[in-house]
Amino acid sequence: MSLPVTVTFMLADWIVKGLTDGTFERIGGVIREVGSKRVITWLREVNSPPSKEIFLATQGILQVSSAVSILNLGVSVIGFVVIAQRLKELEQRLQQAQKVLNNINRKIDLSFYANFRAAIELAINAFTMTKPENRRSSALQAINRFLEAEHIYTEYTDIEIDQKSQIADEYLLTLSLAYLAEARCYLELEEHDTALRRFQEGSIAIRSRIQKYVKLLLTFNPAVYLQPQFRGQIDLRRLTRIYQWLDPTLDENAVFDMQRMNLFMLAQDPNKWVESIPAAIWDSKVDWVGKAIWDDPKPQIYARLPKTLEVVESMIETNCRFESYQTEVQAISQLGISFHDWLKLTPSTEIKPDGAELMYIIPSKPLEL
């Protein structure tokens, strides 16, 4: 059967042109028209490890770093084995955090990660079964466990965000994996409508919490990120992209106007910002242990801000990738392709060029999804 898509390792010149002149934009794992939001291309990694940075050598037009997000660009390349790997990374990060938090008698509940891992193993086993009835029964058992994980990590996330905690992002990412694992089960069962609904419901739950977390990390005075010492690291354009995720109507001028008075206030009284800084960036009970009370913490606090902004960008990228998974599911249904055929898509005649880390799935005409 001839499929209504072209799969290639090369980014077409007309797409490069659209990205250059601003007609197209990359949002998560899709390239789409800026105005109509119609999907032009899906991006899919080609055997790329999660920590490896991918830079497409098209004169810097499209840069995708898989290191900035715990999620892959496409739902088709983040199966249960990959989800298990990501979950292990998050659990290890929380274990490291526990060693630090022990100093203030703060305990992290890691017990449910074992249940989450068991659910993933159940899903993996389910989809290796040959009898359809056994396959479906085991998959539904796994789904029930993923639903339990969603409820638990939603509660954990809310608690940590309310406490302005330094581990809120780990629980947010775990929550994303729980929704993803559940939706992936439905896709494996070819239940596209249910998978899409769960992605949509997950997007609402995840985005609202990431928004709250991003605003927390921006602090009450985001102009702190525009201090002269960050010249060459953080510029207004970078801060604008974050604000545009929160409110797409904003441009650089609007963002600058928002920070104009903030810059003045920060210069007048830098201690006011330090005194109000959330624990998610700096927790004196953890980060200032053993320091003399008369020492100035500002240099160490400011030194953390570039990394903090990377966390903000990472969370936004993760959210964009999660939301772009919906377009994949919608495309599968609209194009009349089964999920398993979608997984098998690959260039039919092209030989993979050396260094190629992405392939592009291009519909015969832009899709309104």
Side-chain angles (χ1 to χ4, degrees):
M1 181 182 74
S2 177
L3 295 176
V5 294
T6 299
V7 187
T8 176
F9 292 116
M10 303 299 293
L11 191 60
D13 290 342
W14 62 275
I15 297 178
V16 172
K17 180 179 182 300
L19 289 167
T20 304
D21 64 22
T23 305
F24 301 155
E25 62 183 351
R26 180 186 72 85
I27 301 294
V30 302
I31 297 174
R32 68 186 190 185
E33 294 176 343
V34 172
S36 69
K37 310 304 180 188
R38 294 189 303 174
V39 174
I40 302 298
T41 308
W42 284 269
L43 310 177
R44 183 182 293 182
E45 293 102 334
V46 182
N47 301 322
S48 58
S51 61
K52 183 174 181 180
E53 289 187 344
I54 302 172
F55 291 104
L56 188 66
T58 311
Q59 302 172 347
I61 297 302
L62 178 64
Q63 293 187 340
V64 181
S65 170
S66 60
V68 303
S69 173
I70 200 166
L71 302 184
N72 286 65
L73 289 168
V75 68
S76 49
V77 285
I78 187 162
F80 296 112
V81 172
V82 177
I83 293 172
Q85 292 171 345
R86 304 295 196 274
L87 189 66
K88 183 178 179 181
E89 293 167 13
L90 290 172
E91 188 174 9
Q92 289 172 341
R93 280 152 57 170
L94 283 171
Q95 287 170 345
Q96 290 298 316
Q98 179 67 84
K99 294 177 183 178
V100 177
L101 294 175
N102 281 338
N103 296 327
I104 57 171
N105 296 319
R106 171 86 192 283
K107 300 298 182 183
I108 300 175
D109 185 0
L110 295 171
S111 61
F112 199 77
Y113 275 86
N115 292 340
F116 196 168
R117 289 197 305 272
I120 294 172
E121 291 171 6
L122 181 60
I124 292 172
N125 291 336
F127 295 112
T128 57
M129 294 178 177
T130 54
K131 293 184 177 180
E133 62 273 17
N134 293 342
R135 180 185 179 95
R136 186 173 186 86
S137 175
S138 292
L140 292 176
Q141 291 180 46
I143 287 169
N144 285 334
R145 292 199 183 188
F146 293 139
L147 285 167
E148 183 181 6
E150 290 163 19
H151 289 296
I152 287 175
Y153 288 109
T154 295
E155 181 180 357
Y156 284 174
T157 297
D158 289 341
I159 290 171
E160 296 301 328
I161 291 178
D162 287 343
Q163 293 183 354
K164 303 180 180 180
S165 159
Q166 292 183 2
I167 59 173
D169 56 333
E170 314 294 8
Y171 284 129
L172 260 170
L173 294 171
T174 304
L175 178 61
S176 301
L177 292 179
Y179 273 107
L180 174 57
E182 183 206 351
R184 178 76 190 218
C185 280
Y186 286 119
L187 288 173
E188 293 285 351
L189 293 170
E190 299 290 358
E191 298 284 355
H192 301 169
D193 290 345
T194 305
L196 178 59
R197 177 173 58 81
R198 294 305 292 151
F199 271 131
Q200 291 170 335
E201 292 169 353
S203 291
I204 293 170
I206 292 165
R207 186 182 179 97
S208 64
R209 288 166 174 82
I210 290 181
Q211 284 178 331
K212 193 172 181 179
Y213 188 63
V214 165
K215 291 177 181 178
L216 175 68
L217 294 184
L218 287 176
T219 77
F220 88 93
N221 190 340
V224 70
Y225 289 100
L226 297 175
Q227 293 181 94
Q229 70 191 77
F230 300 132
R231 184 187 301 274
Q233 290 180 279
I234 303 171
D235 57 22
L236 181 60
R237 182 178 303 176
R238 191 171 166 191
L239 193 62
T240 298
R241 284 196 292 266
I242 293 169
Y243 271 100
Q244 286 176 331
W245 178 76
L246 293 168
D247 181 355
T249 66
L250 297 175
D251 59 16
E252 283 190 23
N253 285 334
V255 173
F256 177 73
D257 279 340
M258 292 167 65
Q259 305 311 320
R260 194 188 298 269
M261 184 56 69
N262 283 341
L263 286 164
F264 178 74
M265 291 169 56
L266 187 66
Q268 264 196 331
D269 187 3
N271 288 325
K272 182 178 180 181
W273 179 82
V274 171
E275 291 165 2
S276 68
I277 191 172
I281 297 176
W282 179 269
D283 187 344
S284 60
K285 292 178 291 187
V286 174
D287 300 313
W288 204 237
V289 175
K291 301 291 184 180
I293 59 173
W294 56 80
D295 287 344
D296 184 2
K298 287 197 292 295
Q300 291 196 36
I301 294 173
Y302 291 156
R304 288 192 174 189
L305 293 181
K307 183 64 177 178
T308 300
L309 204 65
E310 289 179 8
V311 172
V312 171
E313 292 168 332
S314 173
M315 297 304 297
I316 291 173
E317 177 68 17
T318 293
N319 181 81
C320 289
R321 293 186 184 194
F322 188 92
E323 291 184 348
S324 72
Y325 292 168
Q326 297 175 47
T327 70
E328 277 195 79
V329 180
Q330 290 172 302
I332 290 168
S333 296
Q334 190 166 321
L335 296 172
I337 304 173
S338 74
F339 179 65
H340 292 92
D341 285 339
W342 182 262
L343 292 179
K344 297 173 187 174
L345 290 178
T346 189
S348 56
T349 57
E350 279 183 55
I351 297 174
K352 180 177 174 291
D354 291 339
E357 300 292 354
L358 294 174
M359 71 179 193
Y360 309 92
I361 303 171
I362 307 171
S364 55
K365 60 180 180 179
L367 293 183
E368 295 188 22
L369 300 172

